[in-house]
Amino acid sequence: MITLLATDGVVGLQICKDRNAKLQIWEYVPSIEGAIVVNLGDMMERWSNGLFRSTLHRVILNGQTRYSIPFFVEPNHDCIIECLPTCQSENNLPK
């Protein structure tokens, strides 16, 4: 659903804004001191009916030691994953 990632000052995390593009363009996420990176997952995309898109991401190592401290937020294992009622309408049916 959501991943929170504390930064360590070493650049390496990359995102692709258009995962369906024939030629994917990858951009580095800047490492800002004291910042927390918020990465949305597929579950959030499904719950929000595509309003919030999950982030295609990867890590490219450059020889520097890099530490990641992720915190994963997930629902209970028995939670039903479907489009939330507030994220759908007659013109925006659940995907």
Side-chain angles (χ1 to χ4, degrees):
M1 182 168 78
I2 296 175
T3 303
L4 304 176
L5 180 64
T7 59
D8 66 351
V10 177
V11 175
L13 179 63
Q14 291 185 331
I15 61 168
C16 177
K17 292 180 181 175
D18 186 358
R19 74 176 96 163
N20 298 318
K22 197 170 196 176
L23 177 62
Q24 294 179 331
I25 299 171
W26 292 90
E27 302 174 37
Y28 279 99
V29 175
S31 183
I32 301 170
E33 186 176 337
I36 301 286
V37 176
V38 178
N39 185 19
L40 300 180
D42 293 344
M43 216 176 305
M44 183 62 75
E45 184 169 341
R46 182 157 182 195
W47 269 341
S48 72
N49 206 24
L51 178 63
F52 299 109
R53 294 183 51 218
S54 63
T55 310
L56 182 60
H57 61 285
R58 66 183 184 188
V59 174
I60 301 294
L61 301 176
N62 62 5
Q64 290 180 285
T65 301
R66 183 174 188 278
Y67 294 96
S68 294
I69 306 171
F71 179 77
F72 301 96
V73 180
E74 301 288 344
N76 290 337
H77 71 280
D78 60 348
C79 180
I80 296 173
I81 309 301
E82 60 186 21
C83 178
L84 296 171
T86 55
C87 294
Q88 56 184 292
S89 67
E90 286 182 17
N91 298 327
N92 189 26
L93 298 174
K95 296 174 178 80

